Amino acid sequence: MNLQGSNFVKIVEVGPRDGLQNEKTPLTLEDRKNLILDLMQTGLKNIEVGSCVSAKWVPQMSDSDRLYAELPKDPNIQFSLLTPNIKGFESALAVGCTEVAVFTAASESFTQKNINCSIDESFDKFADIMASAKANNIKVRGYVSCIVDCPYEGAIDPHKVAEVTQRLLDMGCYEVSLGETIGTATPDRVAKVWDACLSSMDAHYLAGHFHNTYGMAIANIYQSLQQGIRIFDSSIAGLGGCPYAKGASGNVSTEDLYYLLSKMGFTTGIDLDALMKASQNISQVLQRNNPSNYANAYWQTRCA
Ligand code: HMG
Ligand code: MG
């Protein structure tokens, strides 16, 4: 095995945001809060709480600023809010948020559908956010969607992904998460994206964000680990999807990611029992079977 770098893998839990933004029936604020309270017990150190976007576009994420304000704060847990523009950023700032995430894509069509502007225009909006973030000492994470395929344009050139990622780093993002938005990628294609990025960027600035539509997320993460990536986004109980990427399913489940990483000798800081409790509780709230293979095996062996 040719694994580079340190043994610790950072997991960014995106369930409360990416996971719940696509639910047909939006969860109540109380259920969203309970999910985050559960996640806070798991040892996860980075949790995306929600998004400050237009409620007309994504009603499921309404009142994310209020949700943030109501959560107890733990100095060991970094919460963040997704913000597409200065209006969203200011809502996050008003509730004392210390990290935001901006999001664009390597595809023009997806950017138009998702945030109603071109890639260049998205950067104009981020420039305002960056200026205010710097003045207020707020950390900014970046996202690039459609790193392999776009639901509207098809295959995306890895060099375009690298270019957009570099622009986000240059403008001040401390880390950029590369989103395999529709889950069609296979490891060979993911490898080409990392090759393009790693030729000019250090792995510690880069995160992998894999949706699991075709069951390839774990294989893609394994490939990413081989190339030195040590930061991954995941979603408890594999929740999620993107409202502007029809048919795309949830992120890799945090449970399956935990299993892969722990069996490969990586440390994550996760408390397994607490993770399984969080996973079971949200599955019950949603009245849905958990797609995580590991979670299902865990409960079967417990009940046997
Ligand atoms: P727009 O219609 O172009 O915005 O939408 P606008 O500036 O023209 O304003 C129109 C109205 O929206 C106005 O209200 C604004 O005040 C309001 P009105 O005067 O009509 O009452 N507005 C806002 N309200 C609340 N918060 C805001 C905000 N901004 C404007 N921040 C906009 C542009 C970006 C707002 C819209 O397109 C939007 O909200 N898009 C969000 C899309 C989204 O959340 N997508 C999912 C997240 S991305 C994702 O899932 C991918 C990722 O997981 C990685 C991967 O998997 O690839 C990250
Ligand atoms: Mg996503």
Side-chain angles (χ1 to χ4, degrees):
M1 214 172 303
N2 172 30
L3 291 168
Q4 304 159 12
S6 98
N7 226 25
F8 182 76
V9 171
K10 171 179 165 185
I11 297 180
V12 179
E13 170 60 49
V14 296
R17 192 279 302 169
D18 203 338
L20 299 181
Q21 71 184 7
N22 212 26
E23 281 300 317
K24 274 201 180 71
T25 311
L27 258 66
T28 63
L29 214 56
E30 196 186 345
D31 283 336
R32 290 166 66 191
K33 184 174 170 182
N34 286 337
L35 168 62
I36 297 169
L37 292 176
D38 278 349
L39 291 168
M40 290 178 77
Q41 304 305 313
T42 62
L44 284 159
K45 298 276 180 281
N46 294 270
I47 302 175
E48 205 170 60
V49 166
S51 35
C52 297
V53 298
S54 160
K56 282 185 200 141
W57 284 62
V58 187
Q60 294 90 336
M61 289 290 103
S62 293
D63 295 324
S64 288
D65 50 350
R66 189 148 70 86
L67 172 61
Y68 186 101
E70 286 182 12
L71 288 167
K73 306 300 180 298
D74 177 334
N76 296 311
I77 298 177
Q78 179 67 62
F79 287 148
S80 62
L81 285 166
L82 204 70
T83 58
N85 54 20
I86 195 71
K87 185 176 170 74
F89 177 83
E90 279 167 357
S91 323
L93 192 62
V95 291
C97 183
T98 54
E99 178 173 328
V100 298
V102 295
F103 54 109
T104 186
S107 149
E108 282 295 350
S109 330
F110 184 81
T111 312
Q112 281 294 347
K113 297 269 188 195
N114 195 35
I115 48 176
N116 206 23
C117 63
S118 67
I119 297 172
D120 280 346
E121 285 163 348
S122 73
F123 275 89
D124 293 342
K125 293 174 197 227
F126 301 161
D128 295 340
I129 293 180
M130 286 296 174
S132 183
K134 201 168 173 197
N136 290 285
N137 206 18
I138 309 293
K139 291 166 78 178
V140 183
R141 191 173 199 243
Y143 276 106
V144 180
S145 285
C146 303
I147 61 157
V148 170
D149 285 323
C150 164
Y152 311 105
E153 282 179 24
I156 298 293
D157 180 354
H159 295 101
K160 181 68 186 173
V161 179
E163 178 203 311
V164 177
T165 304
Q166 186 70 63
R167 276 179 82 177
L168 285 167
L169 290 174
D170 289 347
M171 82 181 325
C173 290
Y174 78 92
E175 176 178 300
V176 178
S177 173
L178 272 60
E180 208 284 273
T181 315
I182 55 174
T184 50
T186 42
D188 53 328
R189 300 179 73 204
V190 168
K192 289 188 179 121
V193 175
W194 293 131
D195 283 344
C197 292
L198 292 168
S199 66
S200 58
M201 290 164 244
D202 196 286
H204 75 262
Y205 293 117
L206 304 173
H209 176 110
F210 293 100
H211 284 264
N212 199 33
T213 319
Y214 289 87
M216 290 291 113
I218 283 289
N220 291 332
I221 290 169
Y222 181 82
Q223 176 60 42
S224 308
L225 286 165
Q226 295 290 328
Q227 291 179 263
I229 303 302
R230 294 290 182 272
I231 311 166
F232 295 99
D233 301 351
S234 63
S235 196
I236 190 80
L239 302 171
C242 174
Y244 298 98
K246 204 163 179 267
S249 75
N251 293 84
V252 65
S253 66
T254 308
E255 301 92 306
D256 288 354
L257 179 60
Y258 164 84
Y259 183 74
L260 176 78
L261 294 173
S262 57
K263 288 289 170 187
M264 288 179 72
F266 289 105
T267 54
T268 58
I270 284 182
D271 175 321
L272 179 59
D273 289 338
L275 187 73
M276 299 320 286
K277 181 169 173 255
S279 142
Q280 194 181 39
N281 285 348
I282 190 63
S283 300
Q284 271 167 8
V285 167
L286 293 167
Q287 298 187 313
R288 185 175 307 154
N289 290 332
N290 187 338
S292 159
N293 288 316
Y294 177 63
N296 288 320
Y298 174 93
W299 291 116
Q300 268 169 24
T301 48
R302 284 225 151 180
C303 298

